[in-house]
Amino acid sequence: MKIAIDAMGGDFAPENIVKGVNLAKKELSDVTFQLYGDGAKIRQFLDDETAIEIIETTEVIDFHDDPVAAIKSKKDSSLVRAVTAVKKGEADAVLSAGSTGALLTAGLMLVKRIKQVSRPALMSTLPTADGRGFDMLDLGANTENTAHHLVDFAILGSYYAENVRGIEKPRVALISNGSEESKGSPTVKEAHEILSAMTEINFIGNIESRDLLSGGADVVVTDGFTGNAILKAIEGTATVLMKEIKSAIMAGSVTTKIGGALIKKPLSGLKDLMSTDGAGGAAFVGLKAPVVKAHGNSSELAIASALKQIHKMLESDVSGKLVKHFENMDK
Amino acid sequence: MKIAIDAMGGDFAPENIVKGVNLAKKELSDVTFQLYGDGAKIRQFLDDETAIEIIETTEVIDFHDDPVAAIKSKKDSSLVRAVTAVKKGEADAVLSAGSTGALLTAGLMLVKRIKQVSRPALMSTLPTADGRGFDMLDLGANTENTAHHLVDFAILGSYYAENVRGIEKPRVALISNGSEESKGSPTVKEAHEILSAMTEINFIGNIESRDLLSGGADVVVTDGFTGNAILKAIEGTATVLMKEIKSAIMAGSVTTKIGGALIKKPLSGLKDLMSTDGAGGAAFVGLKAPVVKAHGNSSELAIASALKQIHKMLESDVSGKLVKHFENMDK
């Protein structure tokens, strides 16, 4: 299988991207890595060129570019060329740590959505206390969603959790302002009714956002505006708390500082839990092939784990299965 | 001034409610506390009866009752009687730790909204790392809101932060999926445009939910569905992280456990930061008089702090000022 990689996208590109490929290559022996970008710069960080194809591109889309305009004007950018490779069948999937907006736009325009999927969504695997994790979507590909969109998200997320994360009959839940069936906006109530009647997914009802990190569901469905707000609230709270713990210890007595030094190890384990290094990227689900966005500030470990995630997506053919599922719904 | 108190509402009623009154009474010498409920039970916990009025009621609304039905059928409940006292002018404000739905319904039906306010909202003061805090609304009184509702929330929140929390020209921000003006749902973009043109509030634009606890704004405005989801995501993340820290320490080596014991004090400071004891209750803003909901599991400290919050609301006449503001808008 072939994975197209935007080697120039992200805060630490091409260094972390290429080093991530070096790492992933050791584990993924059946993958050809296509690196799109400035060949000379890419080669600075590349261990060797086995299983590597370097495709020279001359432009880079950065975070300040307007996504839609950039896709049209920067045809020879590493991002557009990498996505185009999937469209042309020269690659099976694409990874970028560049502009989210540009990748979403290019994915939608070039890879295209599965015909019967109303709206693609951005989905990430987030950590839970028990290490099992949960997939949440939509994280912001859309700013408004109908009940029908939410139902499609539930199917997309369920297939992903089952095929890529290996969870049998994943528990799918809908974000609402209460766990009772009667709770929610009109849109959420309508989605709840449709999902309750579906046999192909294991819908467990509403979930409140306070029960996410404790593992209340395997797949969490919500509209893109709310999903984005929840994701960033979790990130912000974790960041502020870890910082406060650190500064409380540093501002404390000598005793406290010694205590802080002694618990450094378990606390760093906690940091791992909240870290994105092992979680892979955000998948833009509902398209005909895997399109994955890694964090802009991804470490080489994060890039390697996103590549392993894509490998699982290709190996399990989750996109192909979804195409078939939605085709059958049409009949 | 007179505060009507639902002495029977909440998980630890009437004990924590009455003990909270005992505490608040020491600081609030100009308040008469009206306790609605079972007089015999109330007197078990009451220090003395100066500045206290006990009003006997025979019914209690609990968390399982349907709010609207309960308001109508349990006319002699402590909650309905306490809210009715405000309607009749026998009390200036009301506090309950009972059913949120019942209090919102009773508040809306009996105390009534300020005529020109499109929708009342539930608002709480949440903690920030610097101790300043921020007010967020709506936390779930509504499940869907228009741009016009959001604009009213901004005015309500701004008046509250300025009058009750003493913040000069409070920075008001709108939750969105990006800080740029161009980001957001159609509703958020419309609200952004209206707020930008208003001179009476200090609107600073959009805010992402990751910047709340670090103090990005003094008043944070969003629809009730999103606000509820953000609030519970913050709560859930803080709870899971504190629990994980504790169990990481307990599962660690002897060294780690000693370290844990040594940092117990700063960590409990952090717990205070996230605790609701000092934050007061959730105010149901947009009504003609203060209606405040304390957490169901409120400690006596939390009840006392909600009473002090109501005292500030009455002292500053924030409700009266809002009535005038909205009357003037009408002209």
Side-chain angles (χ1 to χ4, degrees), chain A residues 309-327:
Chain A
Q309 171 195 18
I310 292 174
H311 182 258
K312 273 192 203 153
M313 291 172 84
L314 292 174
E315 201 177 43
S316 67
D317 190 27
V318 63
S319 302
K321 285 177 183 166
L322 279 165
V323 169
K324 265 186 212 129
H325 176 96
F326 281 98
E327 266 174 8

Side-chain angles (χ1 to χ4, degrees), chain B residues 9 50 59 61 77 90 93 107 117 119 133 234 240 285 308 316 328:
Chain B
T50 51
E59 291 173 303
I61 294 179
S77 61
E90 294 163 7
V117 170
R119 289 284 183 93
I234 292 173
V240 166
V285 294
K308 283 186 261 181
S316 67
N328 287 336

Side-chain angles (χ1 to χ4, degrees), chain A residues 2-331:
Chain A
K2 291 188 172 190
I3 303 176
I5 298 156
D6 168 13
M8 310 307 284
D11 305 342
F12 306 105
E15 179 167 354
N16 286 4
I17 314 297
V18 176
K19 286 183 173 172
V21 169
N22 290 336
L23 281 176
K25 223 172 65 167
K26 292 175 191 160
E27 293 185 45
L28 308 174
S29 55
D30 56 347
V31 174
T32 302
F33 301 88
Q34 298 179 339
L35 291 162
Y36 290 80
D38 180 330
K41 285 186 184 163
I42 289 170
R43 285 193 178 87
Q44 279 180 33
F45 303 106
L46 207 55
D47 281 351
D48 65 78
E49 294 195 26
T50 51
I52 299 283
E53 293 172 10
I54 295 175
I55 297 97
E56 285 288 344
T57 61
T58 57
E59 291 174 303
V60 175
I61 294 179
D62 73 25
F63 292 95
H64 307 292
D65 286 326
D66 174 76
V68 181
I71 298 306
K72 289 182 182 161
S73 65
K74 294 187 171 176
K75 296 260 185 236
D76 198 42
S77 61
S78 51
L79 188 150
V80 171
R81 289 284 302 277
V83 179
T84 304
V86 178
K87 173 196 161 86
K88 289 188 178 165
E90 294 164 6
D92 303 302
V94 57
L95 172 67
S96 175
S99 153
T100 306
L103 186 64
L104 294 186
T105 309
L108 206 52
M109 285 170 57
L110 301 171
V111 178
K112 293 207 161 65
R113 68 179 165 82
I114 297 170
K115 206 181 129 196
Q116 298 81 354
V117 170
S118 55
R119 289 284 183 93
L122 206 52
M123 184 183 77
S124 274
T125 305
L126 300 173
T128 56
D130 62 5
R132 184 180 169 105
F134 67 98
D135 293 308
M136 185 157 79
L137 73 170
D138 175 24
L139 298 177
N142 307 280
T143 56
E144 268 196 325
N145 289 108
T146 65
H148 184 48
H149 299 163
L150 297 180
V151 171
D152 283 354
F153 296 169
I155 298 168
L156 294 168
S158 182
Y159 264 81
Y160 185 91
E162 185 147 10
N163 286 278
V164 182
R165 295 208 296 130
I167 292 171
E168 224 176 307
K169 292 198 180 177
R171 296 162 301 148
V172 179
L174 199 55
I175 286 283
S176 195
N177 56 326
S179 54
E180 309 89 331
E181 194 184 325
S182 61
K183 291 282 188 173
S185 63
T187 303
V188 167
K189 285 185 199 167
E190 190 189 340
H192 190 289
E193 205 184 320
I194 302 172
L195 287 166
S196 299
M198 284 171 72
T199 51
E200 65 261 50
I201 61 171
N202 178 19
F203 179 59
I204 59 166
N206 289 343
I207 190 168
E208 294 183 277
S209 55
R210 73 156 67 88
D211 298 322
L212 301 180
L213 297 197
S214 49
D218 300 310
V219 176
V220 173
V221 173
T222 188
D223 67 275
F225 191 83
T226 308
N228 192 272
I230 291 174
L231 175 70
K232 287 172 180 167
I234 292 173
E235 283 176 5
T237 307
T239 306
V240 166
L241 273 182
M242 295 306 281
K243 219 173 113 185
E244 285 298 302
I245 290 170
K246 221 173 156 180
S247 66
I249 289 170
M250 292 321 288
S253 62
V254 176
T255 321
T256 303
K257 280 181 191 137
I258 294 170
L262 297 180
I263 62 152
K264 219 173 170 182
K265 219 173 131 191
L267 276 196
S268 76
L270 205 70
K271 237 180 164 174
D272 287 350
L273 173 72
M274 298 310 296
S275 142
T276 48
D277 277 357
F284 192 31
V285 294
L287 300 185
K288 288 179 180 165
V291 174
V292 173
K293 166 75 175 76
H295 261 265
N297 64 0
S298 285
S299 65
E300 48 188 281
L301 276 173
I303 295 295
S305 106
L307 287 166
K308 284 186 262 181
Q309 171 195 18
I310 292 174
H311 182 258
K312 273 192 203 153
M313 291 172 84
L314 292 174
E315 201 177 43
S316 67
D317 190 27
V318 63
S319 302
K321 285 177 183 166
L322 279 165
V323 169
K324 265 186 212 129
H325 176 96
F326 281 98
E327 266 174 8
N328 287 337
M329 279 179 65
D330 220 21
K331 282 169 194 166

